[in-house]
Amino acid sequence: MEFWRIPLDADTIQVSRGIVHILEDRCKGCGYCIEYCPKQALEFSANFNQKGYHPPCVIKPEECVNCHYCEIICPEFAIFSVESLQTTELKQVRT
Amino acid sequence: MQKIPMTSNKQPDHPLDDLIRTDRIPHIWCPGCGIGTVFSSCLAALKGSGIDLQKTVMVSGIGCSGRAAGYVKLDSFHTTHGRAIPFATGLKLANPELNIVVFSGDGDLFAIGGNHFIHAARRNMDMTVICVNNLNYGMTGGQVAATTPHLAKSTTTPAGNPETPFNLPLMAYACGATYVARWTMLHIRDLTDSITEAICKKGFSFIEALSPCPVNYGRRNKQKPLDMLKLYQEKAIIKNDADPSTLDIDFEKGIILGKFIDLDRPTFIEEYDKIYRPSRLQENVPELNS
Amino acid sequence: MTKPAVLTGEYFMTGDVACAEGALAAGCRFFGGYPITPATEIAERMAIRLPQVEGCFIQMEDEIGAMAAILGSSWAGVKSMTATSGPGFSLMMENIGLGICTETPCVVVNVQRGGPSTGLPTQGAQGDMMQARWGSHGHYEIIALAPSSPQEIFYLTITAFNLSEKYRLPVLIMTDEIIGHMSEKVIIPEAKSIKLASRPRPKGRKDRFKPFAPGPNGVAPMPAAGEGYNLHITGLTHDEKGYPVMDVETQTEMMARITEKIQKNLDDIIQTDSYLLDDAEIVIVSYGVSARTSMAAVAEARKLGIKAGLLRLVTIWPFPEDQIRKLADRVKGFVTVEINLGQIHREVERCAGGKVPIFLVGHSGGTIIHPDEVVKMLKEAF
Ligand SMILES: Cc1ncc(C[n+]2csc(CCOP(=O)(O)OP(=O)(O)O)c2C)c(N)n1
Ligand code: SF4
Ligand code: SF4
Ligand code: SF4
Ligand SMILES: [Mg+2]
């Protein structure tokens, strides 16, 4: 989770990278974030949260493009993404 | 199960946490209910709009959607069923500096509160009204609403709705609203942009947000939570400036979304100030000088 | 052109106009209303006068909206009022309850006319007295005042505002068509001689403030919207923070807050007036326009050698129970005089506790009660 590989095509496509944060105990397991993530980066976790729902987990962290869609569709304020520092580094490498 | 420690001990806050009463989260809305999404979109709009949030008030009526006022960390009023708009009218007239957002349900705003909606729009009372349209009365267990599609099932129309629903944007336009838009809770960026525009615009603004009520409407009409969202996706026709009279919701032919009306006319307060405030009073009501 | 809020001077004024002037003198700066006979003249007066004092008038779409609007304006920090008659009073009931539950200061005037239903629109009655007490659902305390003249309605409207601000609740002025439409001399005093009260204001840290935590007299300080308190105000059962909590404990605590602030301050709230009461053997209990009838009847009865006296209720709710109880220990009986078929009468009966006989001179509404009817009752019954 700490260090991501630099994509091979990093210098050809402009990608933003995101880190997804999940506030598991707020989640009610509707699955909207999972269904509508454009990168299929999320999946239901096998864990139960305090309320007995399965919150999402990030299965493909390197795929997250920090589009925030999971964040804005979540009815529960339970998931959000922040820009990965990696991105800035990538950009810096490129310029 | 052992939790894997994070790199930093404290998880960062959700970007909207400063606008929610986190001590009241999780909220009461059912899993898959769209109200939370519309509410979150509204908060994002408030945050992004740049308006003075200390001078911003949310007013709700009664219903699942009406609970929004209880979760926003701003001055917020949860009033009586249907009466959010006149309550908000009093707030605004007594302190015109306040920015008013009315957040409520379709039953609240258009059945029991319909008369207030009509007149606030006619007066061009400066406020933004957001209606979560979930096609039924969610809170009381799924009864027919003024927005329930013809033939749809509800607990009080067990064999299908014999009535015709309102076309809400047409109604808002006909009554005099100066900003009218409709989105679904899936079209979140558009919805947030519309709410932002509406908040920043003076005059009576109306935004209809279609939103699933999986527990009541969905269950009785054989729609799983995701079915409703798929319907929004498949049937959405984005058509800004569409003629309001063409906006009946028709899940077969398609649901027209967009910003339909954006015009300017003087607000109630502007007109009142002009005609009644002291400096002008003499010329307009001559008998007062005697 | 601005005009003063207090139009100091001597006038010949109707009760309705005097009520509006009393409101302005009390600091009322918002009126939301809906026309209804015989209260319309209050709205009409406010429509002219409020803009002269930098206030705001709006004719709402109905009385439900009017009542909601004055609650909203009160939470924006402005003293607010509405005025109506029976049919509109019925429509206001749910939001009067919201005002009670959310402890919102405001004044509601009911210029009573004959009911039920549309009844006698242009003719007076006093048939809404129990509706004033219990018209909104649930158990609560309320304050209601009954003026007997245009001069008194001027002063009692000020009192109504002061009480509503001090105790944070809707205060009702239960007048009637006769007082509302009657013209009499009204003296409006100098502004500086009028004592005004304002809602208690919060001090200290805004983030720790609890809008329903009672202060020393049982009343919580009240901020306004837009002042940075992030208030949450709901008609659901709520705790001191204002947050809804659906349990018996919170319900019990909230009910104690909204009832005890009145019950523990009865001496400050209740006002009565009397006429020849000290040596009276028979006490007439009356209020509003009927108290004028009763006063004439007492004078007449005294001429006939009947030792009658008048207890005039200025405050109707909370009911002056103690005074009736004490009188019941020393007098021979009571006569209640009111333009209904026995509403306050039952309260007198309850407080007299069967100690002495109690009679009613009532009327179904549409006219005042003639003093002769009261005298006749005094002669026959005692
Ligand atoms: C005067 C009154 N009548 C009825 C009710 C019961 N009631 C509560 S919410 C509601 C309907 C809410 O429907 P809507 O506004 O569409 O909100 P939703 O729950 O669907 O979000 C009703 C009828 C009430 N609280 N007050
Ligand atoms: S930010 Fe976008 S890409 Fe990343 S997980 Fe969320 S929805 Fe998927
Ligand atoms: S959208 Fe929110 S509530 Fe739904 S599954 Fe994802 S995190 Fe949980
Ligand atoms: S009943 Fe329907 S509208 Fe209400 S919270 Fe549940 S899903 Fe949402
Ligand atoms: Mg609804």
Side-chain angles (χ1 to χ4, degrees):
Chain A
M1 285 275 261
E2 292 274 282
F3 299 101
W4 295 359
R5 68 181 174 88
I6 296 170
L8 295 174
D9 54 0
D11 47 356
T12 51
I13 43 165
Q14 162 70 50
V15 273
S16 181
R17 290 271 167 246
I19 301 177
V20 180
H21 293 273
I22 298 164
L23 298 142
E24 293 196 354
D25 286 329
R26 288 185 178 181
C27 172
K28 290 184 190 154
C30 67
Y32 291 169
C33 56
I34 299 167
E35 181 71 23
Y36 286 95
C37 168
K39 293 288 171 186
Q40 281 91 45
L42 306 168
E43 196 38 84
F44 280 117
S45 118
N47 298 352
F48 289 104
N49 67 9
Q50 271 176 6
K51 294 236 169 197
Y53 297 108
H54 290 291
C57 59
V58 189
I59 47 163
K60 291 184 264 177
E62 69 289 352
E63 288 285 312
C64 174
V65 289
N66 195 32
C67 72
H68 297 289
Y69 200 79
C70 53
E71 173 184 323
I72 62 178
I73 200 172
C74 175
E76 306 291 335
F77 306 95
I79 185 167
F80 61 97
S81 66
V82 291
E83 193 171 352
S84 157
L85 291 174
Q86 221 72 34
T87 324
T88 351
E89 278 166 26
L90 271 176
K91 275 183 196 151
Q92 277 165 357
V93 169
R94 255 178 288 160
T95 44
Chain B
M1 192 178 281
Q2 189 78 36
K3 276 208 170 161
I4 304 150
M6 312 252 310
T7 36
S8 83
N9 298 339
K10 199 189 164 286
Q11 193 159 18
D13 289 339
H14 188 283
L16 292 173
D17 269 7
D18 52 342
L19 273 181
I20 38 184
R21 297 184 195 268
T22 46
D23 49 346
R24 299 202 63 224
I25 298 290
H27 51 58
I28 60 155
W29 298 314
C30 308
C33 176
I35 298 172
T37 307
V38 180
F39 179 56
S40 161
S41 165
C42 177
L43 297 187
L46 282 167
K47 206 168 171 167
S49 68
I51 56 165
D52 181 356
L53 293 178
Q54 188 173 313
K55 297 263 179 253
T56 302
V57 183
M58 185 179 281
V59 188
S60 293
I62 302 294
C64 297
S65 312
R67 289 300 183 97
Y71 300 115
V72 64
K73 205 159 105 197
L74 295 176
D75 286 329
S76 52
F77 296 89
H78 179 232
T79 63
T80 44
H81 194 22
R83 316 308 168 196
I85 288 178
F87 190 100
T89 297
L91 276 166
K92 181 73 189 177
L93 294 181
N95 182 359
E97 271 184 28
L98 298 175
N99 309 302
I100 311 272
V101 177
V102 171
F103 191 106
S104 219
D106 49 313
D108 186 79
L109 289 166
F110 290 99
I112 191 164
N115 198 30
H116 306 303
F117 181 92
I118 289 173
H119 290 277
R122 175 180 62 78
R123 296 181 180 114
N124 201 21
M125 197 55 74
D126 189 9
M127 57 175 72
T128 298
V129 177
I130 299 164
C131 173
V132 179
N133 183 1
N134 55 15
L135 310 178
N136 81 139
Y137 287 5
M139 175 138 282
T140 40
Q143 294 76 28
V144 71
T147 47
T148 307
H150 182 57
L151 300 180
K153 294 213 167 73
S154 75
T155 61
T156 47
T157 54
N161 181 16
E163 301 179 19
T164 309
F166 272 139
N167 166 346
L168 299 180
L170 173 61
M171 169 131 144
Y173 169 63
C175 296
T178 51
Y179 184 98
V180 181
R182 173 199 278 156
W183 299 102
T184 78
M185 54 70 77
L186 198 66
H187 298 79
I188 310 156
R189 292 189 206 280
D190 297 303
L191 177 63
T192 307
D193 289 348
S194 257
I195 300 176
T196 312
E197 262 189 332
I199 290 169
C200 295
K201 188 182 164 75
K202 72 175 170 61
F204 189 89
S205 303
F206 172 63
I207 292 153
E208 174 183 11
L210 290 165
S211 166
C213 166
V215 169
N216 285 308
Y217 186 84
R219 189 160 52 93
R220 290 197 181 80
N221 293 285
K222 306 203 166 29
Q223 283 168 346
K224 298 227 165 61
L226 276 170
D227 295 347
M228 199 76 175
L229 267 61
K230 294 228 167 80
L231 209 59
Y232 292 161
Q233 203 174 350
E234 287 159 16
K235 297 293 178 184
I237 305 166
I238 297 177
K239 206 169 148 193
N240 290 320
D241 303 317
D243 176 353
S245 68
T246 62
L247 300 175
D248 284 311
I249 291 178
D250 186 333
F251 283 104
E252 315 263 274
K253 282 200 228 134
I255 323 153
I256 302 173
L257 308 177
K259 177 172 89 176
F260 310 122
I261 304 293
D262 189 352
L263 47 87
D264 287 307
R265 82 189 166 88
T267 65
F268 176 91
I269 293 180
E270 285 169 343
E271 286 292 312
Y272 189 77
D273 280 349
K274 203 166 89 190
I275 304 169
Y276 283 93
R277 296 299 170 166
S279 54
R280 298 286 302 267
L281 193 63
Q282 253 174 323
E283 35 191 296
N284 291 314
V285 194
E287 66 267 28
L288 285 181
N289 300 318
S290 52
Chain C
M1 199 192 76
T2 17
K3 278 201 177 176
V6 183
L7 294 180
T8 307
E10 245 186 73
Y11 301 87
F12 199 58
M13 249 182 203
T14 64
D16 279 355
V17 170
C19 176
E21 289 302 331
L24 295 162
C28 174
R29 294 295 178 268
F30 181 83
F31 184 100
Y34 191 81
I36 186 166
T37 307
T40 305
E41 293 88 336
I42 301 177
E44 288 171 343
R45 182 74 175 183
M46 293 304 256
I48 294 175
R49 290 277 286 131
L50 274 170
Q52 294 176 339
V53 298
E54 296 294 321
C56 181
F57 170 90
I58 186 169
Q59 180 172 316
M60 292 298 288
E61 49 278 6
D62 57 30
E63 289 87 345
I64 304 174
M67 189 63 215
I70 69 163
L71 296 179
S73 57
S74 182
W75 275 104
V78 171
K79 293 185 183 178
S80 304
M81 178 169 101
T82 188
T84 188
S85 189
F89 198 51
S90 293
L91 288 181
M92 287 176 183
M93 283 303 155
E94 189 191 9
N95 284 331
I96 289 177
L98 179 64
I100 295 281
C101 188
T102 56
E103 306 191 42
T104 310
C106 61
V107 172
V108 179
V109 184
N110 179 355
V111 189
Q112 296 170 85
R113 64 193 221 183
S117 192
T118 311
L120 297 169
T122 60
Q123 289 154 270
Q126 297 178 308
D128 309 344
M129 303 311 294
M130 276 296 165
Q131 185 185 21
R133 179 63 189 88
W134 296 116
S136 198
H137 54 281
H139 196 103
Y140 56 91
E141 290 291 339
I142 191 112
I143 298 177
L145 310 174
S148 288
S149 67
Q151 178 70 69
E152 194 180 29
I153 206 172
F154 174 85
Y155 280 116
L156 279 191
T157 306
I158 298 171
T159 307
F161 272 98
N162 288 350
L163 291 171
S164 82
E165 293 284 318
K166 190 166 174 190
Y167 294 107
R168 279 189 63 181
L169 82 168
V171 172
L172 313 177
I173 298 177
M174 299 299 291
T175 185
D176 54 74
E177 184 275 332
I178 303 138
I179 300 294
H181 282 168
M182 158 196 299
S183 287
E184 271 184 354
K185 186 164 114 176
V186 173
I187 297 171
I188 299 183
E190 294 204 10
K192 61 176 189 296
S193 72
I194 299 173
K195 276 213 187 90
L196 298 183
S198 290
R199 57 198 70 178
R201 299 278 300 155
K203 295 184 197 81
R205 282 182 55 168
K206 291 185 179 181
D207 55 341
R208 293 206 189 135
F209 175 71
K210 292 181 178 169
F212 298 98
N217 67 342
V219 186
M222 180 173 174
E227 292 181 337
Y229 286 88
N230 291 335
L231 299 167
H232 180 58
I233 306 300
T234 176
L236 286 167
T237 293
H238 47 268
D239 60 17
E240 291 186 348
K241 258 166 118 179
Y243 284 11
V245 183
M246 304 297 102
D247 64 27
V248 176
E249 201 189 338
T250 312
Q251 168 75 359
T252 312
E253 279 169 18
M254 185 186 82
M255 289 293 284
R257 279 201 307 275
I258 64 172
T259 55
E260 285 173 11
K261 67 183 178 183
I262 304 300
Q263 287 160 354
K264 291 190 172 159
N265 292 293
L266 294 179
D267 289 344
D268 182 50
I269 297 167
I270 292 178
Q271 280 186 53
T272 57
D273 187 14
S274 63
Y275 176 57
L276 303 180
L277 196 60
D278 289 348
D279 64 339
E281 291 173 350
I282 304 164
V283 177
I284 299 180
V285 180
S286 193
Y287 54 93
V289 69
S290 299
R292 297 167 73 117
T293 295
S294 304
M295 206 156 146
V298 167
E300 184 61 28
R302 288 276 173 164
K303 280 188 214 154
L304 299 173
I306 303 169
K307 277 198 160 176
L310 169 67
L311 176 69
R312 183 168 76 88
L313 311 180
V314 177
T315 310
I316 303 290
W317 307 117
F319 194 69
E321 298 181 0
D322 267 3
Q323 276 168 287
I324 306 274
R325 284 205 184 99
K326 280 182 194 142
L327 285 168
D329 287 333
R330 72 162 174 86
V331 301
K332 288 192 185 148
F334 291 93
V335 176
T336 320
V337 182
E338 55 183 346
I339 313 177
N340 60 54
L341 299 179
Q343 294 188 10
I344 296 307
H345 179 61
R346 292 191 188 183
E347 287 297 291
V348 178
E349 228 167 14
R350 176 174 69 82
C351 299
K355 288 178 194 156
V356 288
I358 296 160
F359 299 91
L360 167 71
V361 180
H363 191 289
S364 357
T367 181
I368 56 161
I369 295 170
H370 199 280
D372 290 351
E373 293 169 56
V374 184
V375 176
K376 191 167 159 245
M377 174 64 87
L378 292 172
K379 282 198 280 195
E380 282 168 10
F382 298 97

